[in-house]
Amino acid sequence: MSWKVTRWVTRLAVLGVLGIAGYVGGHSLPAAAGAPYEWSAGASCPGSESQVVVDIGGETGDKFDLYIDDVKQNSDATPFNAGDSVGVSVVADGEYEVVVKYATTETVVFTATVYIACAGPLFRTESHCGDDGPVIDLLVTDNTSVYRYDVLVDDIPVPGYQDLDITNLTQEWMQLTGFSPGNHTVKVAVYDGDSNVGNYSHSLELDDCGIPDDGGSGGNIVDAGSESGILVALGAALLAVGGALLVVRRRFRQV
């Protein structure tokens, strides 16, 4: 009888490990009940207007206050509801900070940066230190036009970043790598068909990130994050299983 019970507990433990692995690895479990609305923020260009559009998330019954560049967009008597889609006209294309707070507690629940380019392309250039050295961050926003783009650094075309169609791509930063520390100039050539209709150019100083030179190539790889969380979760589950089996075996030995 002790052997049968032990085998039954073992099967339950294995099923528990598989359940945890399936959730952590594939995120296959459904979202929590009562939270049907997702958050999002983006740009829209109705007519000749530039708009910030926010889809209010949260749970049914929640009330929210919306701020754009620290300006409240609703009165205290008329908070927004979970599930609302809100379009706010702004004076010009550019960069806008969205903050949403619970109306009752003023606790921040959602933030986003929205880049609007309705009248023409919008460019942003920054830099940071990555795992393989300096990284040039480039954003090209184009909400309505049909232009195409070539990206160059120090007048050299960047592989994989030619003939880009960036229509309606408003939040995706390109990460360009493989450059040495020092001053570099980023150029984006804008084309309408075969005609060059404009160029964006910006020079920036890349930091010495302190990455040892091991003779490898910088490449164009973006760090996708570590998988250590999965290993930790599975390790904890296995330890719990081992403990449960040990307790069961000890109890039945005392019978």
Side-chain angles (χ1 to χ4, degrees):
M1 180 175 181
S2 299
W3 175 80
K4 290 183 179 179
V5 173
T6 302
R7 185 177 62 178
W8 175 73
V9 172
T10 302
R11 288 178 177 175
L12 288 179
V14 171
L15 289 174
V17 172
L18 292 176
I20 294 173
Y23 171 73
V24 176
H27 304 285
S28 58
L29 294 184
Y37 300 110
E38 295 184 359
W39 294 95
S40 69
S44 180
C45 306
S48 58
E49 289 187 332
S50 298
Q51 285 191 351
V52 175
V53 178
V54 181
D55 290 334
I56 305 293
E59 300 182 4
T60 301
D62 286 343
K63 305 290 184 180
F64 301 97
D65 293 331
L66 169 64
Y67 296 80
I68 296 179
D69 284 352
D70 293 326
V71 177
K72 192 174 181 180
Q73 302 300 314
N74 61 285
S75 68
D76 291 338
T78 57
F80 293 110
N81 300 303
D84 286 348
S85 183
V86 183
V88 179
S89 295
V90 293
V91 295
D93 289 354
E95 180 178 335
Y96 294 89
E97 297 300 324
V98 174
V99 176
V100 184
K101 303 177 181 181
Y102 282 115
T104 53
T105 64
E106 288 298 293
T107 302
V108 174
V109 66
F110 176 75
T111 62
T113 302
V114 175
Y115 303 92
I116 302 180
C118 293
L122 180 74
F123 306 94
R124 292 288 186 272
T125 309
E126 300 175 359
S127 66
H128 73 275
C129 285
D131 290 344
D132 297 320
V135 177
I136 296 175
D137 301 305
L138 173 64
L139 176 75
V140 182
T141 303
D142 182 356
N143 292 120
T144 60
S145 69
V146 291
Y147 297 133
R148 64 179 181 84
Y149 303 87
D150 289 345
V151 179
L152 305 90
V153 175
D154 301 330
D155 288 325
I156 300 174
V158 179
Y161 292 92
Q162 308 298 299
D163 292 328
L164 298 178
D165 177 7
I166 313 183
T167 302
N168 291 321
L169 182 59
T170 61
Q171 305 290 334
E172 296 295 328
W173 286 80
M174 307 175 206
Q175 295 194 340
L176 314 178
T177 65
F179 305 103
S180 60
N183 187 269
H184 296 273
T185 299
V186 180
K187 176 181 175 181
V188 182
V190 185
Y191 292 90
D192 185 355
D194 293 329
S195 301
N196 180 218
V197 296
N199 297 297
Y200 163 81
S201 182
H202 179 73
S203 295
L204 67 165
E205 189 77 18
L206 298 188
D207 294 334
D208 183 354
C209 297
I211 306 297
D213 184 6
D214 59 1
S217 172
N220 289 294
I221 299 175
V222 178
D223 182 15
S226 172
E227 297 295 332
S228 60
I230 296 175
L231 297 179
V232 170
L234 289 178
L238 290 173
L239 286 175
V241 169
L245 289 176
L246 185 59
V247 169
V248 170
R249 294 187 62 185
R250 286 177 176 175
R251 287 179 178 177
F252 278 97
R253 285 176 181 174
Q254 295 172 0
V255 175

